Amino acid sequence: LITDNAITLSAGFTVASEIAILDVTGLTVDGGGFIIDGGGASRIFYVANTGTELTISDVILTNGKCLSTSYAGSYGGAMFVGSGVTLVMSGCTISNSLSVGGYGGGLSLGTTGTSGITVTLTSCTFTGNSAATNGYGGGMFVGAGVTLAMTDSAFTSNIGALYGGGVYQYSSSTATMTRVTFTSNSAASYGGGYYNSGGATCVASFTSCTFMSNTATTSGRGGGVRILDIDTFAVLWHSF
């Protein structure tokens, strides 16, 4: 059902090709708990262009896939968010999605060269996503120019082929994590749970977060968290 700038799902479906959301202000999507499936062949959402505003609630995005030939290349297996976008997601699940040789197996917030992205994630779950072939951020990639606030969410069993099994955070970004759980995520090299690329512009704050059974399988460096510049990282009331 589409009413003005609101979309309400009445059933799940499989996408034939990724859904592009461009130049739309105040669009809301109520998923009703239904599944949008990428069929293992397509990214599900491509959201871009300055001024675009999107709110998504209560939807399951699964079996997404992006390749170098996708819009924005290999960023975001299930969903990609570009420069100038404001995104709010609540009660959503992103699962079993894949970035082939890229960034953000589940969700990519920007790239290494984006700007002006504002994201709020509440009660969202990232499960079984992968960034393959030297990929970064199995569950999520936080790119340049991103301001992220994430609350009451979880990353479970995501895989980063190189860095950041759960999350990879790139420079020129700010991530505030509150009551976020990282469980059984893995990366081949660094940061099984969370990888922070360091530098004064890569700021991460964790409050009441939990890291359990995350692994860096090859190097053994940073099974839970890998931070290149400790001065940019604040941890309050944590559990490892």
Side-chain angles (χ1 to χ4, degrees):
L1 175 65
I2 301 177
T3 305
D4 295 326
N5 271 17
I7 298 173
T8 302
L9 299 187
S10 58
F13 61 93
T14 299
V15 299
S17 60
E18 61 188 299
I19 300 167
I21 299 175
L22 311 171
D23 302 309
V24 178
T25 301
L27 176 63
T28 65
V29 178
D30 181 353
F34 293 108
I35 296 172
I36 305 178
D37 197 315
S42 174
R43 183 194 288 135
I44 298 168
F45 283 120
Y46 173 83
V47 187
N49 294 0
T50 298
T52 296
E53 298 173 354
L54 175 63
T55 298
I56 303 177
S57 62
D58 198 22
V59 70
I60 299 168
L61 306 180
T62 192
N63 296 324
K65 181 179 180 180
C66 68
L67 305 161
S68 60
T69 54
S70 305
Y71 290 128
S74 295
Y75 285 88
M79 185 174 183
F80 170 80
V81 177
S83 290
V85 172
T86 298
L87 172 68
V88 176
M89 296 183 73
S90 61
C92 295
T93 296
I94 296 179
S95 67
N96 300 325
S97 294
L98 170 66
S99 170
V100 179
Y103 304 77
L107 171 64
S108 184
L109 303 176
T111 69
T112 57
T114 45
S115 63
I117 302 170
T118 302
V119 179
T120 303
L121 304 177
T122 305
S123 300
C124 291
T125 301
F126 295 76
T127 304
N129 304 289
S130 300
T133 316
N134 296 324
Y136 299 165
M140 180 170 66
F141 178 79
V142 181
V146 173
T147 299
L148 167 67
M150 189 169 192
T151 306
D152 296 324
S153 297
F155 292 86
T156 304
S157 300
N158 302 285
I159 300 172
L162 194 59
Y163 300 151
V167 175
Y168 182 104
Q169 183 184 355
Y170 191 70
S171 59
S172 300
S173 65
T174 299
T176 302
M177 302 276 179
T178 304
R179 296 184 300 279
V180 179
T181 300
F182 297 81
T183 306
S184 300
N185 303 286
S186 65
S189 292
Y190 304 147
Y194 195 101
Y195 183 96
N196 179 292
S197 65
T201 63
C202 192
V203 180
S205 176
F206 282 27
T207 302
S208 301
C209 293
T210 301
F211 293 78
M212 299 182 295
S213 303
N214 303 285
T215 56
T217 56
T218 300
S219 71
R221 298 180 181 179
V225 179
R226 169 73 172 181
I227 313 164
L228 293 188
D229 185 350
I230 193 65
D231 291 340
T232 67
F233 192 89
V235 180
L236 302 175
W237 188 249
H238 63 279
S239 175
F240 291 93

